[in-house]
Amino acid sequence: SGQTMYESNIYGLYNIVLSMPVIAFGIFDRDIPSAKLLAEPDLYAPGRTRADLNWATVFFEFLQAFVDSCFLFFLPYVVYYYAMDMWEDSGKQGGIWLYGFVVYTIILFAMMVRIMLLSCTWTWIWHLFMVASLAVFIGFAFVYQYMYSYSYDFYGIANKTFQSEMFWLLAFVTCFLSATFKITLDLVSVQPASSHTMFVITIFLIL
């Protein structure tokens, strides 16, 4: 039908919210101090030899994206399959906007967890950007849900979502699975033959 499950103005907030952690990561993050790089030029070898960007890396990134998509969509779908139309004890409907906001919010949380895994330098500026991005998203959602003239269907959705224990448990489990799978792929791609023990442990955690 072409029907989106995201409210349009909430959907447009995605790049604004995630841009702040990405900017902080791009400007302030560094995995090796500059003095060490100057002292040991061989550390630039992975860039020259394309060790960090090759077909294997692209394959693993596509695999990660596919698995993340399954986690982020199907886990909330299974959890809310029966409860989606009868969210409250009063019998009020949640509908597609509630489900879409749940999925959307978990996607944001999962992407922020991914930035945390990628970051090597956790400075106070990095923490400030992360907290500010979350504050912008949550604050906008709480205010926007009462702006009837823009979206009557979104009325009260943020309150219903953030007051639900099921949502927070689902957000934690989904982000945990996504992060664990990312760590597993890193182990496989970096040490495909010498990390069997850690690989088995990580797979066990996923299951």
Side-chain angles (χ1 to χ4, degrees):
S1 66
Q3 171 66 53
T4 177
M5 65 181 184
Y6 305 121
E7 202 283 329
S8 59
N9 289 309
I10 292 291
Y11 181 70
L13 194 65
Y14 183 85
N15 288 331
I16 298 175
V17 172
L18 276 184
S19 65
M20 289 186 280
V22 171
I23 290 172
F25 174 78
I27 295 177
F28 302 106
D29 190 72
R30 58 180 183 177
D31 55 348
I32 301 175
S34 56
K36 188 173 182 62
L37 287 172
L38 292 173
E40 301 182 27
D42 290 343
L43 292 173
Y44 287 99
R48 297 196 306 269
T49 59
R50 301 183 63 182
D52 294 330
L53 184 59
N54 48 53
W55 286 111
T57 304
V58 173
F59 169 77
F60 281 118
E61 290 299 327
F62 271 106
L63 180 61
Q64 176 74 52
F66 174 76
V67 174
D68 277 348
S69 299
C70 293
F71 284 152
L72 294 169
F73 179 82
F74 288 109
L75 283 179
Y77 180 81
V78 171
V79 170
Y80 289 123
Y81 182 78
Y82 294 104
M84 199 161 55
D85 291 330
M86 301 295 288
W87 175 269
E88 301 178 47
D89 295 335
S90 61
K92 293 181 179 179
Q93 279 192 338
I96 190 172
W97 298 122
L98 178 61
Y99 172 70
F101 186 69
V102 168
V103 174
Y104 179 88
T105 305
I106 294 176
I107 290 174
L108 284 180
F109 289 169
M111 293 303 100
M112 290 184 177
V113 171
R114 177 63 52 79
I115 295 174
M116 293 178 186
L117 292 176
L118 293 174
S119 298
C120 299
T121 309
W122 288 28
T123 64
W124 68 269
I125 301 177
W126 185 90
H127 285 86
L128 177 63
F129 274 66
M130 291 291 290
V131 173
S133 62
L134 283 174
V136 168
F137 168 67
I138 295 175
F140 180 84
F142 274 117
V143 172
Y144 182 70
Q145 67 178 341
Y146 295 115
M147 301 174 69
Y148 311 105
S149 58
Y150 288 96
S151 180
Y152 180 80
D153 294 329
F154 195 73
Y155 176 78
I157 294 296
N159 289 338
K160 294 177 184 178
T161 301
F162 294 128
Q163 291 174 2
S164 170
E165 295 87 354
M166 183 187 300
F167 162 76
W168 291 108
L169 177 61
L170 180 62
F172 172 78
V173 170
T174 306
C175 292
F176 174 80
L177 290 176
S178 175
T180 305
F181 188 75
K182 169 62 177 174
I183 295 172
T184 303
L185 285 185
D186 289 342
L187 291 174
V188 171
S189 60
V190 174
Q191 295 178 332
S194 61
S195 58
H196 296 297
T197 302
M198 186 62 69
F199 176 72
V200 171
I201 292 174
T202 310
I203 292 297
F204 175 77
L205 290 174
I206 294 177
L207 299 176

